Amino acid sequence: QVQLVESGGGLVQAGGSLRLSCAASGRTSSTYAMAWFRRAPGKEREFVAAISWIGGSTYYAVSVKGRFTISRDNAKNTLYLQMNSLKPEDTAVYYCAAQPGALDIATTIYGSWGQGTQVTVSS
């Protein structure tokens, strides 16, 4: 199992940027895909972006494509999410997740989750 800790959330005005980080520890010697999900107030957790172990493959939700960039530094065991042109509808708790195997967008596939970091975008 991999332990995950997110950081970098906060309050930002619409149009602004934030960079989230997710530090991994534990069985980091295993190859695993990683992803970001988010849960807005009163809504289900939804997929945001995912990246393969090597980082050559990425996938984004339509709502964030072109504004968010997922990346990873395996030497530092850290996952990132660069969020630009933020909108009020991006307000949510953002979670990172990891799973051994290929990139996936399904919540149920991921076995390791962080505690989440709050992102609030004001209009």
Side-chain angles (χ1 to χ4, degrees), residues 73-90:
D73 184 337
N74 290 340
K76 296 182 179 180
N77 294 322
T78 303
L79 175 73
Y80 303 100
L81 185 68
Q82 178 66 45
M83 306 186 293
N84 298 329
S85 302
L86 282 161
K87 305 175 181 179
E89 50 264 44
D90 293 318

Side-chain angles (χ1 to χ4, degrees), residues 2-86:
V2 176
Q3 289 76 49
L4 304 171
V5 179
E6 303 96 335
S7 61
L11 173 65
V12 63
Q13 288 188 329
S17 299
L18 278 176
R19 188 194 195 201
L20 305 183
S21 298
C22 174
S25 61
R27 296 186 63 181
T28 56
S29 60
S30 300
T31 60
Y32 48 94
M34 298 189 76
W36 289 98
F37 292 80
R38 65 187 182 187
R39 176 178 284 161
K43 296 187 176 181
E44 296 291 320
R45 188 175 299 187
E46 66 174 2
F47 169 79
V48 175
I51 189 167
S52 61
W53 166 247
I54 300 298
S57 297
T58 57
Y59 192 80
Y60 296 92
V62 172
S63 59
V64 306
K65 195 170 185 178
R67 299 188 297 122
F68 291 11
T69 301
I70 188 172
S71 63
R72 65 191 295 170
D73 184 337
N74 290 340
K76 296 182 179 180
N77 294 322
T78 303
L79 175 73
Y80 303 100
L81 185 68
Q82 178 66 45
M83 306 186 293
N84 298 329
S85 302
L86 282 161

